[in-house]
Amino acid sequence: MAGDLDNFYLKQPEPTKSCLLALRTIILNQDKNITAEWKYRMPMFCYKGKMLCYLWVHKTLHQPYLGIVDGKLIDHPALIMEKRARMKIMLFDANVDLPLADIEDILSKALQIAILKH
């Protein structure tokens, strides 16, 4: 639902809201086949209908993060696994400029995996 998707961003406090909105724009600008959807009660980004990544706020650290669905297949120092089997996340400090080169590198690798799986 678009309402739930919009509300997710709108209910976030600043600067988390701005960070998440910037990340949404960066993700959507990676490829015209990436769509923003509301799945599993979170903002999910899909490539040609297949889950690619998502945005969320870490429960204990209270930091926004980018979750990569097939993150276990990506080796990048900015990605952490925590206690996940398949996904890795990239945490952000909402008070600091986003590391655009790292984000785009990770998204590019995630897209390559998605294209191969599609």
Side-chain angles (χ1 to χ4, degrees):
M1 277 185 205
D4 289 334
L5 186 55
D6 291 337
N7 285 335
F8 169 78
Y9 296 104
L10 295 174
K11 73 177 184 179
Q12 302 299 326
E14 287 294 354
T16 300
K17 178 179 8 179
S18 293
C19 180
L20 291 167
L21 288 171
L23 286 165
R24 177 180 70 175
T25 300
I26 293 166
I27 294 165
L28 291 173
N29 285 338
Q30 295 306 301
D31 190 287
K32 65 180 170 72
N33 293 304
I34 295 176
T35 56
E37 301 181 24
W38 185 251
K39 290 186 178 218
Y40 307 107
R41 297 185 303 172
M42 63 175 43
M44 185 72 66
F45 297 87
C46 299
Y47 175 77
K48 294 185 176 180
K50 302 282 185 185
M51 294 186 302
L52 177 70
C53 61
Y54 63 96
L55 295 175
W56 202 246
V57 178
H58 198 280
K59 287 182 180 176
T60 55
L61 300 174
H62 308 290
Q63 289 179 275
Y65 71 84
L66 168 63
I68 304 296
V69 172
D70 285 314
K72 72 174 183 178
L73 302 175
I74 300 172
D75 185 27
H76 193 282
L79 289 175
I80 58 175
M81 193 90 171
E82 291 190 319
K83 294 180 181 176
R84 297 171 178 85
R86 179 180 176 195
M87 303 181 192
K88 286 186 181 178
I89 66 169
M90 181 178 187
L91 287 165
F92 301 99
D93 179 342
N95 294 303
V96 177
D97 287 346
L98 291 171
L100 190 57
D102 284 338
I103 296 166
E104 289 180 338
D105 183 37
I106 290 166
L107 288 172
S108 173
K109 290 174 180 175
L111 263 173
Q112 289 171 9
I113 293 166
I115 289 167
L116 288 173
K117 289 178 103 180
H118 202 270

